[in-house]
């Protein structure tokens, strides 16, 4: 196995269409560092499968009969030591996707994502790096920032009070949609140091992923100008 890939990323596939699951399994199994540890046909099965197989990443169809991907994402991300959830969708940035990201999903992928990009995305999210481009992050923030503007800023600023100056710099960079490598270059930090700062941000701010951190940075008024 090559030294430059993340070894042993455990992946769970969740989709009500067995053909879709078979296609995803075939694509991801072609990568030596990715292991398909289980499959589920609906949201209820997904939660049970996560508890049984302890995956690092869950690829979750957003629209399924019974317990859909939105409810399943909320349940999975509420578990102790939850995996990263990436929602699968046919439509880019529809309301279901926004709600799933707010519920704790680490990002989203279109079902027609090319195989190489799909494999790369699983590796990226398993490593805890950015899953959304800056443009997508801006669109998401614009979507969720409309309601309840007054009061959101004060609440967000209060949550940011315990942060150090360096953590605030990293927070703003995450809010702009930068990857760990890009943040490192901008702030003259090693990528490992950036990952440590991001982990501390998630812990201090009680956020499940970088998207929620970006929304909080926006609410606090740190991304203006």
């Amino acid at each position: 196995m090559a030294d430059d890939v993340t070894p042993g990323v455990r992946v769970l596939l969740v989709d009500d269409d067995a053909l879709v699951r078979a296609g995803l399994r075939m694509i991801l199994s072609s990568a030596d560092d990715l292991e398909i540890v289980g499959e589920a046909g609906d949201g209820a099965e997904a939660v049970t499968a996560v508890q049984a197989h302890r995956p690092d990443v869950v690829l979750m169809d957003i629209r399924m009969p019974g317990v859909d991907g939105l409810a399943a994402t909320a349940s999975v991300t509420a578990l102790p030591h939850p995996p990263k959830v990436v929602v699968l969708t046919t439509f880019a940035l529809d309301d279901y996707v926004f709600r799933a990201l707010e519920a704790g999903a680490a990002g989203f992928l279109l079902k027609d994502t090319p195989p190489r990009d799909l494999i790369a995305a699983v590796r990226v999210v398993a490593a805890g790096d950015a899953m959304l481009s800056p443009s997508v992050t801006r669109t998401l923030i614009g979507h969720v920032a409309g309601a309840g503007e007054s009061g959101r800023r004060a609440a967000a600023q209060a949550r940011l009070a315990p942060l150090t100056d360096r953590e605030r710099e990293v927070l703003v960079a995450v809010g702009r949609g930068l990857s760990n490598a890009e943040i490192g270059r901008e702030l003259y930090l090693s990528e490992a140091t950036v990952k440590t700062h991001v982990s501390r941000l998630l812990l201090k701010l009680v956020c499940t992923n970088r998207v929620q951190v970006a929304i909080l940075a926006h609410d606090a008024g740190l991304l203006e100008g």
Side-chain angles (χ1 to χ4, degrees), residues 2-23:
D3 292 334
D4 60 345
V5 295
T6 302
V9 176
R10 298 167 59 82
V11 183
L12 176 71
L13 306 177
V14 184
D15 198 296
D16 61 305
D17 189 331
L19 288 177
V20 171
R21 296 200 307 270

Side-chain angles (χ1 to χ4, degrees), residues 84 104 106 125 127-129 159-160 163 167 170-171 174 180 194-214 216:
K84 305 290 175 54
V125 75
D129 213 336
R159 287 178 66 184
L160 302 186
L163 300 185
E167 286 168 346
V170 175
L171 172 78
V174 170
N180 287 346
V194 174
K195 290 181 74 172
T196 299
H197 281 303
V198 171
S199 296
R200 287 176 181 166
L201 283 176
L202 294 173
L203 187 64
K204 282 188 175 183
L205 301 176
V206 197
C207 291
T208 59
N209 59 51
R210 300 167 78 104
V211 177
Q212 293 178 347
V213 170
L216 191 56

